[in-house]
Amino acid sequence: MSRVRVTINQAEYRRLTQSPAGPVVRQAERIGRRTVNGAKRNVRVDDGHLRSTISHTVAVLPGRVLMRAGSPLDYGLYLHEGTGIYGPKHRVIRPVQAKALRFEVKEAVGKVSAKGRRPVVFALYVRGVKGDKWLVRAFKDACPYPVRER
């Protein structure tokens, strides 16, 4: 039986996989930028504050390169995963400390008041919003490799 000996050049391996100028880190940066751009296109927002906070980071850890994308704002998760009957608890949203929920409506049937205020709506409960996985869709579109959701 014949034997084969393989010697790996550790310095070159580290340069390829862990150097900021290496192809692995550059590819992670490229996928991160594409994910952020796609997420900014996909997310449903009213004013753009969430859209402006979407970003990515690339970290080189022992044995792997990690790219993270997202937003630090809480309601980004709510738009992604859903709330109320569409969220993890599958229940309507009811007020905790008041008799009714209060919302300012962006686009309402009727006229805006003379002072330029938005119409206000009160509700005893709301069903919530459906999640639309805007970040996962962006990552799947940006990544050339197979992506598996957990």
Side-chain angles (χ1 to χ4, degrees):
M1 178 198 297
S2 60
R3 292 185 178 190
V4 176
R5 176 176 283 189
V6 177
T7 304
I8 296 175
N9 182 338
Q10 293 296 321
E12 185 63 14
Y13 174 77
R14 280 192 299 278
R15 185 192 71 76
L16 289 172
T17 60
Q18 300 194 357
S19 166
V24 174
V25 176
R26 284 197 326 260
Q27 179 71 351
E29 280 287 346
R30 190 175 304 118
I31 292 170
R33 282 192 308 273
R34 289 178 182 166
T35 300
V36 167
N37 291 337
K40 288 181 178 185
R41 282 191 304 271
N42 291 344
V43 68
R44 302 179 317 222
V45 292
D46 285 341
D47 60 7
H49 183 62
L50 174 62
R51 183 178 289 127
S52 68
T53 63
I54 299 171
S55 63
H56 80 282
T57 59
V58 175
V60 179
L61 304 172
R64 63 183 168 162
V65 176
L66 180 68
M67 188 280 293
R68 292 181 185 204
S71 170
L73 301 179
D74 291 340
Y75 72 94
L77 178 65
Y78 303 145
L79 290 175
H80 192 271
E81 298 298 320
T83 61
I85 64 173
Y86 307 106
K89 294 184 179 178
H90 305 291
R91 286 185 243 143
V92 295
I93 300 170
R94 296 187 184 276
V96 175
Q97 297 179 347
K99 292 181 180 179
L101 300 166
R102 179 186 185 276
F103 302 97
E104 289 186 11
V105 181
K106 182 178 180 183
E107 297 175 15
V109 178
K111 298 179 181 178
V112 176
S113 71
K115 295 181 181 178
R117 295 187 196 146
R118 294 179 177 179
V120 176
V121 175
F122 294 93
L124 297 176
Y125 67 91
V126 293
R127 291 192 172 105
V129 296
K130 290 182 181 179
D132 69 350
K133 306 284 187 186
W134 50 271
L135 190 56
V136 171
R137 281 188 290 123
F139 181 65
K140 285 181 177 180
D141 291 344
C143 188
Y145 312 109
V147 176
R148 181 181 50 179
E149 252 186 280
R150 287 192 229 178

